[in-house]
Amino acid sequence: MPRTIIRNGMILTLDDVGTYLENGALVIDGDRIAWIGQDADAPAAIGEARDGDTVIDATDKIVMPGLVDLHFHTALGKGYNDHLPLWEYLDECWYPLIRALDYDAAYWAAMASYTESIKAGVTTVNDMYRKLDALADAAEVVGIRAVLSNDIALDEFRLDTLQDNVDAFHRSHGANNGLIQVRFGIEWLPLASPELLRDTRALAVELGIGIHIHLNESMSEVENSLERFGKRPTELAYEVGLLGPDVVAAHCVHLNDDEIRMMAETGTHISHNPSSNAKLGNGIARVPEMLAAGINVGLGHDAVECNNSADMFEVMKYSSLVHRAQRQDASLMPAADVLRMATNNGSRALGHDTGRLAVGAKADVILVETNSVEFTPMLRETPVHMTSHLVFAANGGMVDTTIVDGKILMRGRELTTVDESEIVRKANEAFRRTVSRMEVVTRSA
């Protein structure tokens, strides 16, 4: 079987012991990492390149795990209705758009969304949206690792049902050699009920799949839940048994101490989405307290409709800076920890063998170009300096190569599986068609 051999790279493994090789080599055989070591040892360890092998010269490049976008929505309307708070934004933009979707619009929206992520070094998305058949087809064409979930709500809100998600599971779970997985997706408590949460948990156990849910994103959500159920969203999710180690809870901006305890007790994972929370005016999550409680916290961009960028390097920077600014403490959220949130922690939350470079692990690998003023100066002999640059100075445009499951999806900034110009054209056409079908019906909180 042809191999991919990466030579002369600065290998930042982000493994458990923080292995770093200033001049290293890495071999991918099939969908797994087969060897990692000093570049000087590569010829003796792996032999000469064989016919069909791909050899990549990673001189001046950081070789590291692909990024995991733990809270992701395929999106079609970037920059459309850009200055509304969450509830009004949902009613006037997001819900009307996704209710008007057809297969074609969802497919091209996903093609655009996944391609933007691949270009920025994201190898896994945890995507809650609609029309999962279209999303699965797009993910297979692009080649990204995708965990897909429907947008489940009570029937009156005309989104998705539990049965829609069950049907999507049977059609798409395990597709593309396991790169595509399906979970249950709950929109949020204002569009749900205790019974819906209980039914979702029961089916998740029956099918052996996880759950993706928005919780405590805004104070309006918390107030709605208190008014309708007499409990805060996370309190209700805990009481009905929804929370657990198979759950990714997105946002969690407004958790009180008791809700943080519930998250830690149940082993629920949290996706921190600071740039989306800032843009929508929802506040800043209590991430230092979550981490202190032992909660596994990953990072997500949310959606380009409420963020305008799927660049997870930007999300990493926000993840550190907002907490330092809010608490006037420059020691918070150090770069090394934030980088692991975007790799190790996201992978752990989804139960994937990715997010680190180790022999036997899945080959989700990116190469980041450092021969630029953005990475100058840099002390190559220590990972501390490059880690700082990755979190505080880099952007997705510095990703040179993206590899998912051993397959090269971008090399030298050139996409290998899709035609970006076609995606741009088709996604623009799909947006115009979908907007023409939108019906905006506002609803008070």
Side-chain angles (χ1 to χ4, degrees):
M1 177 179 294
R3 304 169 297 175
T4 298
I5 302 171
I6 301 172
R7 301 286 304 271
N8 306 310
M10 294 173 279
I11 300 185
L12 189 64
T13 67
L14 298 180
D15 64 8
D16 292 342
V17 296
T19 303
Y20 169 65
L21 302 171
E22 182 182 350
N23 191 30
L26 180 149
V27 178
I28 297 170
D29 195 346
D31 62 352
R32 301 275 177 176
I33 297 171
W35 186 84
I36 301 175
Q38 298 290 349
D39 190 77
D41 298 332
I46 66 177
E48 297 299 322
R50 305 189 293 253
D51 288 346
D53 285 350
T54 298
V55 180
I56 298 176
D57 182 3
T59 299
D60 293 327
K61 295 178 179 63
I62 298 169
V63 182
M64 60 176 283
L67 305 178
V68 178
D69 196 333
L70 192 56
H71 182 55
F72 186 107
H73 298 286
T74 281
L76 186 62
K78 181 192 294 188
Y80 185 68
N81 272 6
D82 230 4
H83 303 285
L84 294 173
L86 177 63
W87 204 295
E88 289 83 351
Y89 160 76
L90 291 171
D91 277 346
E92 296 182 27
C93 177
W94 181 262
Y95 292 145
L97 265 177
I98 65 174
R99 289 186 184 114
L101 285 172
D102 56 19
Y103 171 94
D104 186 71
Y107 176 82
W108 289 110
M111 288 289 282
S113 298
Y114 299 158
T115 298
E116 182 175 356
S117 292
I118 289 296
K119 291 181 68 179
V122 170
T123 52
T124 300
V125 296
N126 185 30
D127 186 4
M128 181 193 294
Y129 204 54
R130 307 194 68 201
K131 307 292 182 184
L132 262 59
D133 291 353
L135 271 57
D137 289 346
E140 183 163 358
V141 170
V142 173
I144 201 166
R145 192 180 300 277
V147 180
L148 307 177
S149 57
N150 281 88
D151 209 357
I152 297 171
L154 296 171
D155 291 349
E156 65 195 85
F157 297 107
R158 297 185 294 122
L159 295 175
D160 291 332
T161 67
L162 266 174
Q163 189 60 50
D164 290 329
N165 215 149
V166 171
D167 293 344
F169 168 81
H170 290 301
R171 286 193 298 263
S172 299
H173 187 69
N176 199 20
N177 296 316
L179 281 178
I180 297 168
Q181 298 175 332
V182 174
R183 289 185 167 211
F184 285 108
I186 300 291
E187 170 58 359
W188 66 334
L189 265 292
L191 274 60
S193 67
E195 293 74 24
L196 181 59
L197 299 189
R198 290 190 186 96
D199 290 346
T200 301
R201 166 47 70 196
L203 280 169
V205 171
E206 179 182 330
L207 296 177
I209 60 175
I211 298 168
H212 187 181
I213 185 172
H214 299 87
L215 281 176
N216 294 50
E217 180 176 2
S218 69
M219 277 309 300
S220 59
E221 174 195 352
V222 174
E223 291 161 359
N224 176 275
S225 183
L226 286 168
E227 180 180 342
R228 293 171 63 216
F229 310 120
K231 298 182 184 298
R232 296 164 61 89
T234 296
E235 290 174 336
L236 181 62
Y238 176 83
E239 181 181 90
V240 302
L242 183 85
L243 302 181
D246 58 351
V247 174
V248 173
H251 300 295
C252 299
V253 176
H254 300 285
L255 295 185
N256 62 26
D257 289 347
D258 204 37
E259 288 172 306
I260 289 176
R261 176 194 60 78
M262 293 171 184
M263 290 289 191
E265 176 190 320
T266 57
T268 301
H269 311 275
I270 291 175
S271 178
H272 178 40
N273 319 300
S275 35
S276 168
N277 297 153
K279 186 184 178 210
L280 291 170
N282 285 326
I284 300 173
R286 300 173 64 199
V287 174
E289 286 82 3
M290 296 175 190
L291 296 173
I295 297 170
N296 181 50
V297 181
L299 301 178
H301 90 281
D302 197 0
V304 294
E305 283 168 330
C306 53
N307 186 333
N308 300 74
S309 171
D311 189 338
M312 286 290 288
F313 288 89
E314 180 182 276
V315 172
M316 284 193 284
K317 184 171 183 175
Y318 263 83
S319 296
S320 181
L321 299 192
V322 295
H323 299 285
R324 296 181 183 206
Q326 181 191 38
R327 303 182 188 216
Q328 302 177 55
D329 184 351
S331 71
L332 294 176
M333 305 291 280
D337 293 352
V338 172
L339 193 59
R340 287 185 178 274
M341 291 170 72
T343 52
N344 300 172
N345 294 12
S347 174
R348 176 183 166 196
L350 297 173
H352 291 170
D353 191 9
T354 63
R356 62 195 172 95
L357 303 184
V359 172
K362 283 284 192 175
D364 288 11
V365 183
I366 62 173
L367 277 62
V368 181
E369 179 62 67
T370 68
N371 187 23
S372 67
V373 292
E374 288 85 357
F375 274 87
T376 302
M378 186 173 72
L379 302 173
R380 296 173 55 107
E381 64 271 19
T382 170
V384 174
H385 208 183
M386 69 174 61
T387 298
S388 177
H389 287 333
L390 285 168
V391 172
F392 296 122
N395 60 68
M398 297 173 183
V399 176
D400 175 87
T401 298
T402 301
I403 301 170
V404 176
D405 216 42
K407 184 175 182 180
I408 300 171
L409 306 186
M410 181 177 73
R411 184 177 179 185
R413 296 297 297 168
E414 294 292 326
L415 297 163
T416 66
T417 60
V418 296
D419 179 347
E420 186 173 0
S421 63
E422 179 188 27
I423 293 170
V424 169
R425 183 177 69 256
K426 295 287 190 180
N428 274 316
E429 293 171 355
F431 173 67
R432 289 181 179 276
R433 287 197 310 272
T434 305
V435 168
S436 72
R437 295 194 298 264
M438 282 174 55
E439 296 180 11
V440 178
V441 180
T442 58
R443 170 177 53 88
S444 60

